[in-house]
Amino acid sequence: MTWKRSLRLAALGAAVGVLLPVAGSASGLSQAQDDAMSPAARTYLTMTLDLMEQHSVLRHHVDWALLRRRALDQAHGARTASDTYGVIAWALNSLGDGHSFFLNPQQSGARYGTTTLSFEGLMGRALDDGLGYVSLPQVQGTQQTYDAYVRQGRAAVATADGAGACGWIVDLRDDRGGSLRPMLAVVGPVLGDGPAGGLVDADGNRSTWSIQHGNAYADGEPVGWTDSEPITRSAAPVAVLTGHRTGSSGEAVAVAFRGRADTRFFGEPTYGVPTGNMVYHLSDGAVMVLTSADDVDRAGRTYDAPIPPDEEVVNEPTAAVGGGRDRVLAAARAWLHQQPGCQRSRGSQAG
């Protein structure tokens, strides 16, 4: 789950870390500390620990000397980089942020090297009561994947706008994360131009998201793609739907809507990792994903736990999302029809 969830400072959301060299260490640990480890294995392990200590969002709350000692003890006898994988995964889990993780070369290739050109759940429709409905699923992969997501997502928004939606429903209940920047590039016209939150690291340094001409910008720079086609009513009220599967970058999209005028949240609390990850591609093709920042909304509020909705609504287990028995969707529509410009066709069913 990656602002991508990244400190996303290099396009905040694309977040790709540096390649680790196979020799040399910034840790200052001597060979004598563990004679049974090969120099290559020690270098690989200690440099990942260096990155954790330098960039973890919880770096001021960790006993690093103890963590390093235990990691080196566990890695006793390691001869190759792959021999340290389990120790690195253990160390990331020990940080306690609930979002950092490690991928071996095969896993990282499957996650970041796969191109997907169609997306189940990425859809938009104009409801028969004058509302626009758009749902965003997770997205992860290559640049081709992100380009396809933006094309299809923007087409979905245009479809949902129909003759001019008086209000919007943004469904994030199946958005489990991935790269944030294509998500914001899709939903930017509904968010409206202006600040859209950002990230804050352990030292209080902030990076910002904003929307300009319907497209996403990181620290004032476009993250890719051209400006989006505008919707009919850019300041229309918005109902945001969340649930327990709304995680990572899905939560970042929710945070982007926090503080927006005429916006209300429905459903259930989110998964609980509204934090940003840095993605470090290591020298042998493995990947370390390190939580390096907390999400922050446009008003400066910081998030690091499940985000509760304004109105908690729980569906029956057998109710289909978006269907006639979807209580969350029904509650959102009822609220929208109380807003100026949408006070008509109350009780209509989805088209």
Side-chain angles (χ1 to χ4, degrees):
M1 295 180 182
T2 67
W3 305 103
K4 212 148 180 162
R5 316 232 12 157
S6 322
L7 183 48
R8 311 179 215 182
L9 289 177
L12 283 102
V16 175
V18 297
L19 291 173
L20 296 185
V22 295
S25 170
S27 69
L29 293 168
S30 68
Q31 176 77 25
Q33 287 181 288
D34 189 346
D35 289 334
M37 286 184 70
S38 73
R42 179 180 295 100
T43 294
Y44 192 90
L45 174 58
T46 55
M47 290 197 71
T48 59
L49 293 171
D50 291 342
L51 289 170
M52 294 180 207
E53 183 173 359
Q54 292 161 10
H55 300 294
S56 169
V57 70
L58 297 176
R59 68 189 188 88
H60 297 308
H61 304 279
V62 175
D63 185 337
W64 292 104
L66 178 61
L67 181 66
R68 285 177 182 275
R69 185 164 62 250
R70 288 180 174 174
L72 288 168
D73 285 346
Q74 291 185 49
H76 182 86
R79 308 307 299 168
T80 66
S82 62
D83 291 336
T84 70
Y85 288 172
V87 178
I88 295 170
W90 168 85
L92 288 169
N93 185 64
S94 297
L95 298 180
D97 56 56
H99 201 184
S100 297
F101 58 94
F102 182 83
L103 299 172
N104 65 38
Q106 293 73 32
Q107 293 168 328
S108 65
R111 186 181 184 94
Y112 297 107
T114 302
T115 297
T116 302
L117 299 179
S118 62
F119 309 92
E120 182 179 358
L122 180 58
M123 60 165 292
R125 52 185 171 144
L127 305 185
D128 60 9
D129 51 2
L131 302 176
Y133 171 93
V134 61
S135 62
L136 298 181
Q138 64 187 10
V139 59
Q140 189 72 77
T142 65
Q143 186 61 43
Q144 286 179 293
T145 296
Y146 302 146
D147 291 343
Y149 188 96
V150 171
R151 284 195 304 271
Q152 294 178 36
R154 287 180 169 179
V157 169
T159 297
D161 195 28
C166 69
W168 285 85
I169 297 169
V170 177
D171 196 339
L172 304 176
R173 288 177 290 176
D174 201 32
D175 191 340
R176 308 181 191 191
S179 179
L180 176 60
R181 57 193 182 98
M183 298 176 193
L184 290 183
V186 168
V187 81
V190 181
L191 266 169
D193 286 0
L199 291 161
V200 58
D201 71 11
D203 296 321
N205 299 311
R206 298 199 175 208
S207 54
T208 61
W209 285 106
S210 62
I211 304 297
Q212 300 180 35
H213 307 294
N215 198 17
Y217 282 68
D219 291 331
E221 297 295 328
V223 299
W225 306 290
T226 59
D227 293 345
S228 180
E229 290 295 323
I231 58 176
T232 305
R233 306 181 189 183
S234 61
V238 176
V240 180
L241 313 186
T242 65
H244 296 308
R245 293 189 297 184
T246 307
S248 193
S249 288
E251 290 171 290
V253 177
V255 168
F257 277 96
R258 287 284 178 180
R260 181 190 181 278
D262 300 318
T263 301
R264 189 168 177 81
F265 292 73
F266 298 84
E268 298 179 85
T270 63
Y271 181 77
V273 286
T275 48
N277 286 348
M278 282 295 291
V279 181
Y280 291 95
H281 291 266
L282 309 184
S283 57
D284 63 341
V287 163
M288 181 175 72
V289 181
L290 177 67
T291 301
S292 56
D294 292 325
D295 286 350
V296 60
D297 67 22
R298 64 187 70 196
R301 290 170 294 203
T302 301
Y303 298 79
D304 62 358
I307 304 169
D310 297 312
E311 185 172 331
E312 186 158 355
V313 184
V314 180
N315 273 333
E316 296 178 5
T318 58
V321 171
R325 297 169 59 201
D326 188 339
R327 295 174 179 173
V328 182
L329 179 60
R333 294 174 75 168
W335 174 77
L336 284 167
H337 284 302
Q338 296 172 4
Q339 310 311 304
C342 283
Q343 295 174 340
R344 57 187 176 87
S345 303
R346 297 183 64 179
S348 298
Q349 297 300 311

